[in-house]
Amino acid sequence: MQNKKNRLNIERAIAESLRRQEDQRKEYRIFGRLFYLHKPFITALDVQAVIDDIESTIPQHLFDEVDQIMIGDFEFLQDKAREAEFKDGAIYITNQIGSEKDLAENIIHELSHSIEIKYGHLIYGDMSLRSEFLGKRSRLKSILDSNGWETSEEEFNETEYSEEFDSFLYEEIGYIELGAYISGLFVSPYAVTSLAEYWAVGFEDYFIGDREYVRKISPQLFSKIEGVLFYDI
């Protein structure tokens, strides 16, 4: 009986030690690349589960431009009021993320921007994605005009991101109201802001949103996503 009790105590001690090690863990790997927590998340997240899901969902070749993923309290993200950004071969994500779903969304969204480096010719080369995007922008402009919003032809014909235009969408119209206007055109309000975000939001939704809806309303975007998805097969 005493031996059994001692064995149970040892097993509990080992389990507690492993739990503490996991709580303090800072370094992970995603497709062999470093995934490092400079600062822990404000909420306990199952990072390994997110990594496992991504590795089982997204082809490894799409991570070719990503050297590492860094989690922390980064000033440049705070300055831009962003949760994540891809730059210089790394995906930087704020430690303020509150759920595994948010973490996965940010990784996949920024991954899509890294993919533009290697596969930009496939995504944008034939101009079909640009035409689809601007066609949707034109229809949205008509909808906004008919609902009393004063819009600019020049802004709606611009494909690059503009803080002023984003502010018009987010602060003046508001993403909630804009969401009603974009139904059947864009998968989310943020996809309206630029051609690059149209690509990124669609890519994100393809993997962790409504893939069939992406195919239905944005056939060129859907085709481009599958083009890079199966490019190295």
Side-chain angles (χ1 to χ4, degrees), residues 48 63 166 195:
Q48 190 59 55
F63 274 80
D166 190 9
L195 179 57

Side-chain angles (χ1 to χ4, degrees), residues 138-205:
S138 177
R139 292 195 291 278
L140 175 60
K141 183 181 184 304
S142 296
I143 292 170
L144 292 174
D145 290 345
S146 66
N147 280 275
W149 291 99
E150 185 176 338
T151 62
S152 162
E153 190 80 36
E154 183 179 355
E155 284 186 327
F156 274 79
N157 284 330
E158 176 59 62
T159 59
E160 296 296 319
Y161 177 82
S162 160
E163 287 189 11
E164 184 178 351
F165 185 68
D166 190 9
S167 177
F168 168 68
L169 298 175
Y170 179 67
E171 296 180 5
E172 293 187 43
I173 299 176
Y175 274 6
I176 294 177
E177 184 172 347
L178 183 61
Y181 297 142
I182 65 168
S183 178
L185 287 176
F186 296 89
V187 296
S188 83
Y190 196 59
V192 181
T193 59
S194 72
L195 179 57
E197 294 305 335
Y198 180 63
W199 154 258
V201 172
F203 183 89
E204 178 188 327
D205 228 50

Side-chain angles (χ1 to χ4, degrees), residues 94-113:
T94 176
N95 67 328
Q96 303 298 304
I97 295 296
S99 71
E100 285 85 3
K101 182 176 184 292
D102 287 343
L103 177 57
E105 286 176 347
N106 276 283
I107 293 173
I108 294 173
H109 187 96
E110 298 308 321
L111 172 66
S112 74
H113 287 310

